Structures are given as C-alpha cells and as structure tokens.
Amino acid sequence: DKYVIRVVTEAIQHHKTLQLYYHSKADGFEHLTIAPQHLIYASKRYHIRAFCFQKNKPVDLVLSRMLEVEFSDQLWISSAEDEEWNTSVELHFMPNPDLPELVRQTLLLDFRLKNNIYTLTVRKALAFYIARDMENQLDWKYKVPLWLPIKKQD
C-alpha cells in the first residue's frame, strides 16, 4: 500500500511515532504504537525496526503486514538503546561439501575465502534473517544449499 509506505518512511525520516493495525504470526491482528527507526530489506521483504510501546522493547515488523497507519503524538524513541541493533556478530559459513569440487572451488574464488570459511559481520538484530537466507541459497543446477553454517572456534 503506497500510503503505508509513505507514512512509514516519513515517520522514520522525521522521527515521528505511529499507531498501526498489524498482523503478526505470533499474535494475529493487533493495534501497536511504534517509534520506527530503520527500514530493512531482509528475506525478500521489507521490515521496520522499531521501538514498540506496548511490548516495551525493539521489534521487527514486516512492512506488508501493516494494514493501517497514522501518526501518533507519542514521543519518538531512538535506536541508541537497542542492544541487538547496535551489536555486531559474526556468522560463519562453508561451501557445502555435497557440491561438486568445481562448484566449491568457484565459491572459494568468488568470495576469496580464507580457510574455506565465509565470515559475515552483521547486526545481531538481523543475524537470523541473514543466516536463514544464506542457508536457503540453492545451487541452481544441483539443488543443494551453497552454504552450510559453522560454529567458529575462538
């Protein structure tokens, strides 16, 4: 909905709060008041990182699930205290050993991997989405995941 997109982006740009009617997988339809802070594209859809006044914590909301939005008089809250947004974590992946050797070698060259490990530094708040996207990248010919997650030893 163009109206929803316009209002949400204006709220982010001008530090305004919103009242919205939202549908979540966990809670169904609900009325929320949020302070939207960031627009994110993850897992093939747009998300809003926002402080939710009802939940008293930062949340990720899928933009397309915002059914009604309007500006609110609530004071806007920044993401400065959002620990998950302001903390970086490393995700580690390796080429899938089920891929043919030539495909694994191509991945190693494409990404200039050291020790066969692909390391991504990401915001903790986005780590779930990025890990899921990496694990769901299939080789077009062999139909197996390109990458497998690994736990790196410290």
Side-chain angles (χ1 to χ4, degrees):
D1 181 321
K2 290 179 184 177
Y3 175 77
V4 171
I5 294 168
R6 184 182 62 75
V7 170
V8 171
T9 55
E10 183 178 336
I12 292 170
Q13 290 172 340
H14 299 288
H15 299 167
K16 296 179 180 180
T17 57
L18 296 173
Q19 291 180 336
L20 50 97
Y21 188 53
Y22 183 77
H23 184 269
S24 75
K25 285 196 281 188
D27 300 317
F29 292 101
E30 56 190 335
H31 290 277
L32 301 173
T33 304
I34 64 167
Q37 300 145 345
H38 306 282
L39 176 65
I40 304 144
Y41 186 75
S43 294
K44 299 180 182 177
R45 57 191 178 179
Y46 285 96
H47 299 249
I48 303 299
R49 184 73 176 178
F51 181 84
C52 178
F53 291 92
Q54 285 76 8
K55 298 176 185 197
N56 198 34
K57 67 177 186 177
V59 295
D60 290 322
L61 303 172
V62 178
L63 183 61
S64 62
R65 295 185 194 161
M66 294 180 183
L67 305 174
E68 297 173 11
V69 296
E70 62 182 46
F71 294 109
S72 167
D73 292 331
Q74 186 81 31
L75 287 176
W76 186 81
I77 294 177
S78 81
S79 61
E81 301 300 319
D82 184 346
E83 186 176 316
E84 287 189 352
W85 183 260
N86 294 304
T87 301
S88 293
V89 296
E90 286 188 345
L91 301 177
H92 307 282
F93 302 90
M94 65 180 217
N96 188 339
D98 292 338
L99 290 167
E101 178 65 23
L102 281 175
V103 176
R104 289 195 318 271
Q105 289 300 320
T106 301
L107 289 172
L108 296 176
L109 287 171
D110 282 350
F111 295 96
R112 302 288 187 231
L113 302 182
K114 295 180 182 173
N115 302 321
N116 295 342
I117 297 173
Y118 186 18
T119 300
L120 297 171
T121 302
V122 302
R123 292 181 187 277
K124 188 175 182 181
L126 303 178
F128 167 78
Y129 301 114
I130 294 167
R132 183 174 66 185
D133 289 349
M134 288 293 292
E135 293 169 35
N136 287 330
Q137 285 185 28
L138 297 182
D139 179 83
W140 66 272
K141 184 175 181 182
Y142 299 102
K143 307 298 185 222
V144 297
L146 291 172
W147 305 100
L148 296 179
I150 57 173
K151 296 208 182 276
K152 187 162 175 158
Q153 304 290 324
D154 290 326

